[in-house]
Amino acid sequence: MAQIPLSRSAASLKGVCSQDQSRNVAADTLRAFLHSNPTPSLRFYSAQTAPRPDHGGTPDAQPFSQDEQTGYDHWKKQRLANKEFFTSLLSSAATKRDAKAYISRLKSPRKKTPALKSTQSAVPIKAQTTVNVGNLFSRSRAVEQSPVFTQFKDEEQTVEEVETVNVAMVKVNNISAMDDSILAGIAQTLSSLSRLGMVPAVVVEEPAQTDYSVRRELLTQSADRLVTAIEQVSESGARKLDNCFRQGVDGRPEIFLQKLITRPLHQGRIPVIVPLAFSDRDQCVMSITAHDALLALTKDLAGLSFVPTTGGSVTEAVEKGLPLRKQISLDRIIVVDETGCIPSTKSHDQEHVFVNLEQEYSRLQEELRSSTDSGVSQRHASNLKLFKDALRMLPHSASGLLTTPLEAANTARLTDDGPSNVGTRRQKNALIHNLLTDKPAYSSSLPAGRLTQDSTTASATTSTLVKRGMPLTMLPNPDAQVWTAASTPRLKLTDGRIDLDRLVYLIDDSFNRTLDVEAYLKRVNDRIAGVIIAGDYEGGAILTWETPPGVSDDDTSRLVPYLDKFAVLKKSQGAGGVADIVFNAMVRTCFPNGVCWRSRKDNPVNKWYFERSRGTWKIPETNWTMFWTTPGLLDQKSSQTFLDYEAVCRTVQPTWADNKKLVD
C-alpha cells in the first residue's frame, strides 16, 4: 500500500498530540518565534506611558488627572485587545508544519535601503522602543520603516516603496442586519488579520433595493458602522472610500484613482469600500454590485488593469503592472455571508468544506441552480461564481473562503468573563485559521460521521475553502464506464493516455523507494480497475481487482477492489489538498461501495488512514494493517467478503527494486 511519508517533525508531532491533547505544538512554535526574533515590527501596547494604578502610594499622592486616567484606560483596552489577539492566533494554529509555513510565507525578506545621494547631511531617525517579535506581523511596517528618499543634484525627489503589502479582498454582506456584538467581532478579526501581516480591503454589500437613494443610504450607513467598529479595536484604524469607481466604456466599473486604495493599505489602514461608481455619460453616481466592485479591485490590485496603448504590445501592458505587483500581493478572497458554506444536496456530507474549481465548478453550479432544497440559496451560486472570476486573475496559490458572520466574529464569542468549562477548547476562527494554514478547518476527505464526534470542528462546517485547484483525470471515466469487476476491456498502465514514466516517478518520489517497473507491470497490468491522476502528476492512485488465493480469475463476484498505490509528490504533501482530492474521487466516485488497502503497522501516515476508513484490522502474524471503506463489512465478521479482503492484503507481493529490508 502506498505511503505518504511524513517528516520526522510531523511524525513526532503526532506522537506528542496522542500523549497530551491539551498541548498545541503549533502554538508553541509560534510562541517561540515571537520570543526569539528581536525585530521591531509590532508594538503590542500604546506608545503612551500609562500610569500605574498604585503610583499614588505616598501620603501626598494626587488622584489621576484626566489625561492620566485616559492613558490608563487606553492601556487596559489595548492589553485586553492583545490578549484576545494572541489567543485567537495561538488557538488557530493547526500543526507545527502549518505554523512554520505561515512564518516562512509572510516573513518579508530584509531589503537594503538605497543610500542617500545628497550633499545635505542626513538627519538620524530616533529609534523607537518596542516589543520585538520579528517580521511575523506587518501591520505597522509601513509606519516603522519610512519610504526611502533618494536625492540627485538635478533631478526630482522620488519615493521608493520597500515593502510588499499582503492584501485580502473581503466582501461583507448585509451589515445592516447584524447586531453590534457580531459586527464588533468581525472588526476584531479584520484588525487581527492586519496585525498578522494581511491587510483586508473590505467591500460592503446590502440586499438589492428598488429605490437607488435608499440603497445608497443603506450602503453608506453600513460602511460607517464597520469603520466605527474597526476604529474601536485597531490603532491603524479604517477609512471609508465611496469614490473609488467610475463606469468604464464597457459599462463595467473600474478603479478611478489607484492611490485611493493603495495608500491606506501601505499605512496599515483598512479600506472600507462603498460600491458606488461615477458615470461620465450620465454625470451621476450610480450603485454597482459588490460582486462587480470586488472584481474591479482584484483586477487593479493584481496589476491587470493596464491595456496596450495604440500600437503597443501586450508585453508592454504587462510590464506596466509589474511595479504594482511588487508592492501589493493579493492572494485571498473572503466572503462573509449569512448563507454560509456551499451546500451539497447530492452527498451525505450536506456541505462542501473544500471546492476544487477546476474539477467541480460546472457540476456544483448545475446542482445549486437546479436545487429546490430550502437550504440552497441563489447567493451560493453567485458567491461560487465570484470566487471563480476573482481567483482566475490571481496566482495559482491564491484561495477563497466563504464563511458566516458568526464565524468571522469568532474572536468576540468567547470571553474570560464567568467560570470556564474544564475540558472545552476555544473554537478556531475561520479567517485566522485560513491565513495561518491556507487549508480548510478540517480535511475534506473526512467522513461526516467523524465530524459529529468532534465538537471542535462544529464551526468548521459553516465555512468553505475554494481554490482554483487542479484537473482530475479518472481512467476509465466513471461517467461513461462504471468501475466493476466484470467491465471489459480492462485498462493497462501502458495505455497511451497514461504517461508511465511520470507515473513511476510519482510513485518513487512518494514512497522514497524505487519501483521494479517490469515486475510491477507483470503483476498488475491485466487486473487494473482504474487510475486516478491529480493535476500534472502531483498525486495519483492505482486500483486493481485482486483475486483471493484459491479463487478463479473468472469468478468476478469474488474479485476484491484493492487500492494498490496511493502517492503524492513530496513537494505537494500537506499542501493544496492533493491527497484529499484523490481520496475523495476514489471513495465517492469510483468505488462508492467500498475499497480495501493495506499499510505497514509502523507507517506514520496510518493516522490519516484510520480517520478516513470505515474499519481496520491488524492482520495476525504479519506487519500489515488492513483498511476498508466498505459499509457493513463487520456486521458479520466471518463473512466471505471480509475473509477475501484479508487474504488479498496478506498475500499481495511487493515489487520494489531497491532491496530495502522491510518486515511485512
Side-chain angles (χ1 to χ4, degrees), residues 204-220 242 245 247 251 253 274-279 284-290 292-293:
V204 298
E205 175 68 310
E206 290 294 335
Q209 301 286 336
T210 56
D211 189 331
Y212 159 71
S213 60
V214 173
R215 172 173 167 76
R216 180 175 179 177
E217 181 66 22
L218 197 58
L219 288 169
T220 302
D242 56 5
F245 305 100
Q247 191 177 38
V274 183
L276 301 172
F278 180 78
S279 172
C284 67
V285 176
M286 55 192 301
S287 65
I288 58 178
T289 66
D292 290 338

Side-chain angles (χ1 to χ4, degrees), residues 549-600:
V551 177
S552 171
D553 290 341
D554 297 331
D555 187 358
T556 58
S557 65
R558 295 281 298 278
L559 295 185
V560 172
Y562 180 71
L563 175 57
D564 190 83
K565 291 288 183 288
F566 187 86
V568 177
L569 289 177
K570 289 178 182 176
K571 67 178 183 179
S572 300
Q573 291 173 10
V578 179
D580 289 332
I581 290 172
V582 175
F583 192 88
N584 284 339
M586 177 183 71
V587 300
R588 297 179 183 178
T589 305
C590 302
F591 280 122
N593 295 322
V595 63
C596 73
W597 68 95
R598 71 183 185 182
S599 176
R600 288 184 173 83

Side-chain angles (χ1 to χ4, degrees), residues 85 255 367 549 604 623:
F85 170 69
I255 301 303
E367 179 181 327
N623 192 37

Side-chain angles (χ1 to χ4, degrees), residues 40-43 128 130 137-145 194-195 235-236 266-268:
S41 62
L42 174 66
R43 285 172 291 179
Q128 296 182 351
T130 61
F137 309 105
S138 61
R139 175 193 62 80
S140 59
R141 285 185 291 192
V143 177
E144 303 290 344
Q145 301 179 5
S194 181
R195 296 181 68 183
E235 288 189 2
S236 295
H266 280 289
Q267 294 170 347

Side-chain angles (χ1 to χ4, degrees), residues 231 405 463 475 604 657:
E231 292 281 358
S463 301
L475 300 173

Side-chain angles (χ1 to χ4, degrees), residues 67 118 142 186 210 215 274 282 288 291 303 425 499 526 623 637 639 653:
D67 291 341
S118 173
I186 293 176
T210 56
R215 172 173 167 76
V274 183
D282 300 328
I288 58 178
H291 182 124
R425 291 192 222 170
D499 189 331
D526 292 326
N623 192 37
K637 188 173 179 180
S639 70
Q653 293 300 311

